[in-house]
Amino acid sequence: DTAVSQTPKYLVTQMGNDKSIKCEQNLGHDTMYWYKQDSKKFLKIMFSYNNKELIINETVPNRFSPKSPDKAHLNLHINSLELGDSAVYFCASSQDQGRAFFGQGTRLTVV
Amino acid sequence: DQQVKQNSPSLSVQEGRISILNCDYTNSMFDYFLWYKKYPAEGPTFLISISSIKDKNEDGRFTVFLNKSAKHLSLHIVPSQPGDSAVYFCAASYNFNKFYFGSGTKLNVKP
């Protein structure tokens, strides 16, 4: 049973398209995150939700919009995709904002 | 502006010997530090953590040392095993607000 699962694992799409990445956790955690691993391999936080409320919103283009329908889900929707959006996106969850459990990552390639 | 830095992108160690992975940080407010391990095509998995009130935490073959005055932490793996070959990320946070990650060090343990 995967604790944090995200789909799809790979996503190849054209510039200008709109796409979504889904994330679900079955750990009963209160907090969920989206991280982006850039070309220099840094993992940078994008968003954090605690009990469906947005608590961290880093300097991310507003083309990126997280949606948390319930505590167990945090989806990431990206509008008007650009080449620079190509990266690996990781979903994660934690209890009481402690150590995070990560999903396997979604490799997004914009062509 | 990277607040957590791992200056060695890679490290190669012989099986049975000690692996020492280093991490430096700039923000003196950080009070909680973690190490994550990442295999290819998988998300990072939690390895070990340390609070700023301690200077050492040990878990089996893994020991994390914290030197607050130098703003430096290190992960020691003794003895190193081929299965330890992975990318190791250092992360830091204050008040569990959000986690700042380093760029990772790729460890190769040779049989």
Side-chain angles (χ1 to χ4, degrees):
Chain A
D1 249 1
T2 306
V4 181
S5 60
Q6 51 184 114
T7 54
K9 192 170 180 179
Y10 300 97
L11 182 55
V12 181
T13 187
Q14 289 188 321
M15 278 176 54
N17 283 351
D18 303 338
K19 290 292 178 187
S20 292
I21 308 172
K22 295 186 176 182
C23 179
E24 176 181 3
Q25 54 98 3
N26 62 8
L27 298 166
H29 288 166
D30 295 326
T31 307
M32 295 186 73
Y33 310 83
W34 276 107
Y35 282 85
K36 178 180 179 180
Q37 186 176 29
D38 61 22
S39 56
K40 293 183 181 176
K41 305 302 180 188
F42 284 103
L43 269 167
K44 293 185 179 177
I45 192 164
M46 300 173 69
F47 302 103
S48 173
Y49 270 72
N50 182 265
N51 281 314
K52 301 197 306 174
E53 298 290 328
L54 180 66
I55 56 171
I56 292 174
N57 185 353
E58 289 298 285
T59 308
V60 175
N62 56 15
R63 298 181 294 104
F64 290 78
S65 53
K67 294 274 192 309
S68 182
D70 55 57
K71 209 171 79 163
H73 296 83
L74 181 62
N75 303 322
L76 183 65
H77 189 76
I78 316 169
N79 287 330
S80 304
L81 277 155
E82 300 178 356
L83 292 176
D85 298 331
S86 296
V88 182
Y89 292 84
F90 287 97
C91 175
S93 73
S94 69
Q95 184 60 33
D96 301 325
Q97 301 178 52
R99 67 178 174 97
F101 291 75
F102 284 82
Q104 83 226 33
T106 296
R107 182 174 291 278
L108 172 65
T109 304
V110 182
V111 297
Chain B
D1 179 27
Q2 290 303 131
Q3 299 191 49
V4 177
K5 295 179 184 176
Q6 294 175 255
N7 292 318
S8 299
S10 63
L11 175 67
S12 190
V13 168
Q14 203 66 38
E15 180 179 7
R17 306 295 290 268
I18 184 171
S19 295
I20 300 177
L21 297 106
N22 293 305
C23 178
D24 297 294
Y25 60 94
T26 57
N27 191 337
S28 57
M29 297 288 290
F30 286 144
D31 56 12
Y32 187 58
F33 304 87
L34 310 92
W35 283 95
Y36 282 84
K37 177 179 178 179
K38 183 183 180 305
Y39 292 115
E42 293 184 14
T45 54
F46 171 78
L47 193 57
I48 192 169
S49 64
I50 188 167
S51 159
S52 61
I53 61 172
K54 293 185 171 183
D55 53 21
K56 177 182 173 182
N57 188 25
E58 195 171 345
D59 183 2
R61 296 185 297 113
F62 303 90
T63 304
V64 55
F65 294 92
L66 176 63
N67 182 334
K68 288 188 290 291
S69 59
K71 297 194 184 69
H72 177 85
L73 70 157
S74 60
L75 174 68
H76 292 210
I77 308 174
V78 181
S80 301
Q81 299 173 354
D84 297 329
S85 296
V87 176
Y88 289 79
F89 289 95
C90 166
S93 76
Y94 51 93
N95 291 334
F96 298 112
N97 187 10
K98 59 185 176 183
F99 291 94
Y100 295 84
F101 282 80
S103 54
T105 297
K106 185 173 184 179
L107 174 65
N108 179 32
V109 180
K110 296 178 286 188

